[in-house]
Amino acid sequence: DFEEIAAMQRAADWEGAETALVNAAAGLKQAGAQAIVICTNTMHLLADGIEARAALPVLHIADATASAIQAAGLSKVALLGTAFTMEKDFYKGRLQTKFGLEVVVPNDADRAIVHRIIFEELCQGKVLDASRREYQRIIGQLAEQGAQGVILGCTEIGMLIQKSDVSIPVFDTTLIHAHAAVDWMFAN
């Protein structure tokens, strides 16, 4: 139930969220899983703890996304996602440190807009043209700052923004992560 996790996010109860995900991972491990795919960008904030406590490798969404960005030959990208994903270092720091990518995020006001649209609209199944225009404006500003591509760093953003909506390459983490998981399964 995402609302339980969302409530923990709002309350900054990351320990409780980690325990919930570790318990889910333990059940998957008992059922025979050999790795974990956390199907959300924000909850990768807890990936290291989940991996350690569940004793299963986590196929990290940022790693898969970075590989796609590097394969496209880009070095500077914009990151859109929840406030947690845009502001905390677990995602952009990993892209910078592990992959040498330069990552830009929207300004404070635009980060609030991106976050609000995710939780108040997209998570509710609402896809509004006005919100698409806001995202297009924000992505355009980040492109003007040198972003060569944009990471849709929340699994819901792909409902709102498609490649044809913007002038720079789009990296939809939902699709990238799913493909990486399938590749991993066939390789292992």
Side-chain angles (χ1 to χ4, degrees):
D1 182 358
F2 177 67
E3 180 50 36
E4 292 174 16
I5 297 296
M8 289 181 214
Q9 289 175 345
R10 286 190 300 273
D13 180 10
W14 299 110
E15 184 177 318
E18 182 176 305
T19 296
L21 292 179
V22 166
N23 290 340
L28 293 170
K29 183 177 181 179
Q30 187 174 9
Q34 297 173 320
I36 297 297
V37 178
I38 303 170
C39 299
T40 164
N41 288 269
T42 297
M43 297 314 289
H44 278 79
L45 171 68
L46 308 172
D48 293 340
I50 293 166
E51 186 171 66
R53 290 176 60 194
L56 283 173
V58 170
L59 307 181
H60 204 290
I61 198 166
D63 294 352
T65 301
S67 294
I69 292 165
Q70 289 180 326
L74 306 184
S75 60
K76 184 175 182 177
V77 291
L79 173 61
L80 300 183
T82 66
F84 313 111
T85 300
M86 292 184 290
E87 295 171 3
K88 294 187 178 293
D89 201 44
F90 73 96
Y91 202 102
K92 63 184 173 187
R94 188 176 185 106
L95 295 175
Q96 293 166 334
T97 304
K98 190 171 179 181
F99 297 93
L101 297 172
E102 185 177 349
V103 181
V104 294
V105 296
N107 63 39
D108 291 347
D110 286 344
R111 285 196 310 271
I113 291 168
V114 170
H115 183 84
R116 181 193 61 74
I117 289 170
I118 290 168
F119 280 98
E120 294 179 14
E121 296 174 19
L122 299 176
C123 285
Q124 307 296 320
K126 298 176 189 173
V127 180
L128 306 177
D129 287 334
S131 296
R132 180 175 294 108
R133 287 189 297 274
E134 280 292 292
Y135 271 55
Q136 288 171 314
R137 176 188 62 76
I138 292 166
I139 293 167
Q141 288 178 341
L142 295 167
E144 288 174 7
Q145 295 173 26
Q148 302 163 309
V150 59
I151 300 169
L152 305 184
C154 176
T155 54
E156 285 79 17
I157 297 175
M159 296 170 20
L160 187 65
I161 294 295
Q162 304 296 313
K163 293 176 184 180
S164 60
D165 293 322
V166 295
S167 62
I168 58 177
V170 170
F171 296 90
D172 185 336
T173 58
T174 303
L175 296 173
I176 292 167
H177 199 210
H179 286 134
V182 170
D183 290 346
W184 185 89
M185 286 188 296
F186 281 117
N188 291 290

